[in-house]
Amino acid sequence: MIVMKFGGTSVQDASAISQLVEIVKARPGSRLVVVSALSKVTDGLLKVAQLCEQGDLPGAEKQVDELRLRHLHVGRELGLSAMQIEPIEKWFQQLRHLAASLAALGEVSPRSKDLLASFGELSSSCLVHGAFIQRGVNAAWADSRKLVATDSEFMSAQVDWEKTAANVQAQLLPLLQEQVVVAQGFIAADPKGHTTTLGRGGSDFSGAIYGATLKAEKVEIWTDVNGILSTDPRVVPNAKTIRQVHFLEAAEMAYFGAKVLHPATIYPALKQKIPVWVLNSKNPADSGTEITFDQNSPAGVRGIAFKNNITVVNIHSSRMLGAHGFLKSVFDVFARHKLSVDLISTSEVNVSLTLDPNSDMDALQRAKAELNAFADVEITSGRAMISVIGRGIRDTAGLAAKIFTEIKNINVQMISMGASELNISFVVTSDQSVETVQRLHQALIP
Ligand code: ADP
Ligand code: ASP
Ligand code: MG
């Protein structure tokens, strides 16, 4: 049995969905197909949330209708019957009602946002299911909210593995013996049955959750590039496919910003030792990237990842000179405000740290107010974190010298090296990130 996850561009229109059907048909055995929303639809649904918050009902209705028409158009182009279109009309009717109530209130809670966002995957999965039937494939549709169980941390819910495994084994496994099953990525439900989501880009994670709980032979992540590339192809157009990448390297690439994989994707598969492949639905003949457990996979620089628009926080407290517990006090504050820290560099009374672009800036202001009780705090935005990634690079003689010589005229603000054997990371201003990545790619990737 295999899990095949298709991202937004792999279901963006009728021709992409037809291609998806062909790709799935070409795979023998039991197949679970996990789909994202059509490309840009989740953004569109979050726009609906924003319009509802502003109390702009006509705006929200217009946006909902545009999304509906796009889905109906794709359905028509796929040749779906009126009966097959019906569930899609039903989702959009629910969405319209929801938007009307939210716009009347002028308030959208995280719980409502998740419900709004779920209509993207609910609708795309119906289109894909219809396309399978239309093309003679015996297929069933499954609701991921009945399968993937999470807590109630809306917009970034945590998986209840035991419950999910029980649901999957009881409900999904029997279906998969007989049919191709189409389910949604990204969405799940909490113990009360309320819709939750796994965070933006979370459909990859859904694929891995299903892979692990089904003990699949492999998980295939189908996207719009030939696998995991040595860096973002939008910055370096000739970035190369990494044909084999170690699990730890893939996780590090994802965590440090390579958008091709959601950072949580790797661990469930790793726990069960399930191979993961990243493949191109626009070019299925390409062999893509294999993520392996092979301890003998070669050491050295594998890729360069980066995150733009990160925030750097400098914390200084001369009062803590000679006193112990400074770092603990600082990190307690960040933990209390649920701010997750990427890079850290410290000296006795100074701490510099970086926060992800998605960090809650209001929470940061609250954290700053608390830190001000014992330290001066300086917040700098508009920075980028660049990470050179590969196994064993900590122990590669001369690599740091090579990196920093290559970018010697670029002002490097913070360096973190040696904490993990897998990466050397540092901070530059956002406007220099492209040049930094391009130069390093040229110098380090053969
Ligand atoms: P999907 O909708 O299939 O999940 P995403 O847009 O989330 O696709 O991820 C694929 C995109 O990630 C690629 O089109 C590419 O522009 C971008 N990307 C960034 N870094 C990398 C990388 N190192 N390797 C491959 N793609 C990358
Ligand atoms: N549709 C969701 C998003 O755009 C999940 C995904 O595509 O992975 O974030
Ligand atoms: Mg993605």
Side-chain angles (χ1 to χ4, degrees):
M1 143 139 36
I2 62 173
V3 175
M4 306 174 79
K5 177 263 167 177
F6 290 85
T9 43
S10 306
V11 291
Q12 66 186 357
D13 52 25
S15 93
I17 294 178
S18 300
Q19 171 84 314
L20 175 160
V21 171
E22 294 311 312
I23 291 170
V24 174
K25 269 182 161 177
R27 290 282 189 272
S30 301
R31 288 144 293 173
L32 173 66
V33 175
V34 176
V35 295
S36 290
L38 311 199
S39 65
K40 308 260 170 21
V41 165
T42 309
D43 292 337
L45 291 164
L46 294 175
K47 178 87 195 295
V48 173
Q50 210 181 17
L51 292 163
C52 292
E53 251 166 359
Q54 294 160 359
D56 181 357
L57 180 58
E61 277 178 340
K62 183 164 169 274
Q63 175 74 10
V64 169
D65 218 46
E66 273 171 27
L67 293 169
R68 172 177 162 267
L69 291 176
R70 177 166 167 209
H71 285 81
L72 296 184
H73 175 73
V74 173
R76 250 193 323 273
E77 286 209 311
L78 284 167
L80 302 195
S81 66
M83 222 175 72
Q84 289 177 313
I85 295 285
E86 211 178 274
I88 297 164
E89 285 285 25
K90 195 189 74 191
W91 295 130
F92 276 96
Q93 207 169 356
Q94 287 184 20
L95 174 58
R96 222 178 357 244
H97 287 147
L98 176 64
S101 339
L102 294 173
L105 282 172
E107 192 184 294
V108 182
S109 65
R111 182 174 136 193
S112 304
K113 227 177 238 178
D114 273 358
L115 185 54
L116 277 174
S118 70
F119 287 100
E121 270 71 8
L122 288 168
S123 307
S124 67
S125 59
C126 288
L127 286 172
V128 171
H129 175 244
F132 275 121
I133 304 288
Q134 200 55 250
R135 285 151 182 75
V137 179
N138 181 12
W141 181 91
D143 189 333
S144 285
R145 297 172 302 177
K146 302 265 180 330
L147 297 163
V148 181
T150 66
D151 65 7
S152 305
E153 189 67 43
F154 295 101
M155 299 169 72
S156 58
Q158 300 295 312
V159 178
D160 180 332
W161 288 96
E162 245 172 70
K163 254 200 220 165
T164 304
N167 293 342
V168 162
Q169 296 288 328
Q171 298 170 44
L172 197 53
L173 209 51
L175 272 183
L176 280 163
Q177 309 301 331
E178 293 164 17
Q179 286 166 300
V180 168
V181 181
V182 181
Q184 310 74 34
F186 186 49
I187 66 171
D190 77 355
K192 290 188 175 153
H194 296 136
T195 301
T196 57
T197 67
L198 304 171
R200 293 304 308 268
S203 291
D204 299 332
F205 186 31
S206 302
I209 294 168
Y210 282 120
T213 50
L214 285 164
K215 300 194 176 16
E217 274 158 57
K218 62 175 167 175
V219 175
E220 294 180 346
I221 306 282
W222 289 88
T223 184
D224 62 350
V225 286
N226 290 342
I228 301 180
L229 307 180
S230 47
T231 194
D232 189 330
R234 291 165 297 185
V235 171
V236 179
N238 66 346
K240 296 192 316 192
T241 300
I242 311 172
R243 291 292 166 194
Q244 259 205 344
V245 65
H246 192 270
F247 262 85
L248 294 172
E249 292 169 328
E252 203 88 341
M253 288 283 285
Y255 182 74
F256 285 97
K259 192 196 168 207
V260 63
L261 268 192
H262 184 278
T265 310
I266 302 297
Y267 293 100
L270 178 65
K271 264 199 297 202
Q272 304 279 346
K273 293 269 188 289
I274 298 169
V276 176
W277 289 78
V278 181
L279 298 154
N280 188 354
S281 66
K282 311 269 179 255
N283 182 17
D286 188 274
S287 60
T289 296
E290 180 188 12
I291 305 178
T292 70
F293 307 98
D294 186 357
Q295 291 302 330
N296 300 319
S297 68
V301 176
R302 239 344 69 71
I304 299 162
F306 59 93
K307 282 189 194 179
N308 272 324
N309 300 318
I310 62 155
T311 301
V312 175
V313 186
N314 286 309
I315 301 153
H316 170 79
S317 173
S318 47
R319 258 184 289 160
M320 297 299 278
L321 201 62
H324 49 254
F326 175 50
L327 289 179
K328 180 178 186 307
S329 319
V330 168
F331 288 109
D332 279 350
V333 174
F334 279 86
R336 240 190 334 275
H337 292 281
K338 294 191 175 162
L339 289 162
S340 101
V341 171
D342 280 338
L343 285 193
I344 310 165
S345 125
T346 63
S347 66
E348 190 178 4
V349 292
N350 285 290
V351 186
S352 294
L353 49 85
T354 69
L355 299 175
D356 197 81
N358 302 319
S359 302
D360 177 347
M361 288 297 134
D362 296 332
L364 178 57
Q365 286 306 328
R366 291 194 293 275
K368 178 176 189 262
E370 280 187 36
L371 291 165
N372 280 148
F374 59 92
D376 297 325
V377 180
E378 183 199 6
I379 297 173
T380 319
S381 53
R383 296 293 181 267
M385 174 172 69
I386 317 283
S387 304
V388 176
I389 291 163
R391 287 211 306 155
I393 63 171
R394 178 176 57 193
D395 307 318
T396 307
L399 181 61
K402 193 165 176 187
I403 291 174
F404 296 113
T405 307
E406 199 53 48
I407 55 165
K408 59 178 179 288
N409 62 337
I410 288 174
N411 184 19
V412 174
Q413 296 170 346
M414 220 179 121
I415 301 176
S416 167
M417 183 180 165
S420 133
E421 65 131 7
L422 287 152
N423 86 72
I424 297 176
S425 299
F426 53 90
V427 172
V428 300
T429 56
S430 278
D431 59 355
Q432 290 189 303
S433 70
V434 166
E435 186 189 346
T436 307
V437 171
Q438 287 172 341
R439 279 216 233 155
L440 290 180
H441 192 271
Q442 169 104 27
L444 302 176
I445 310 284

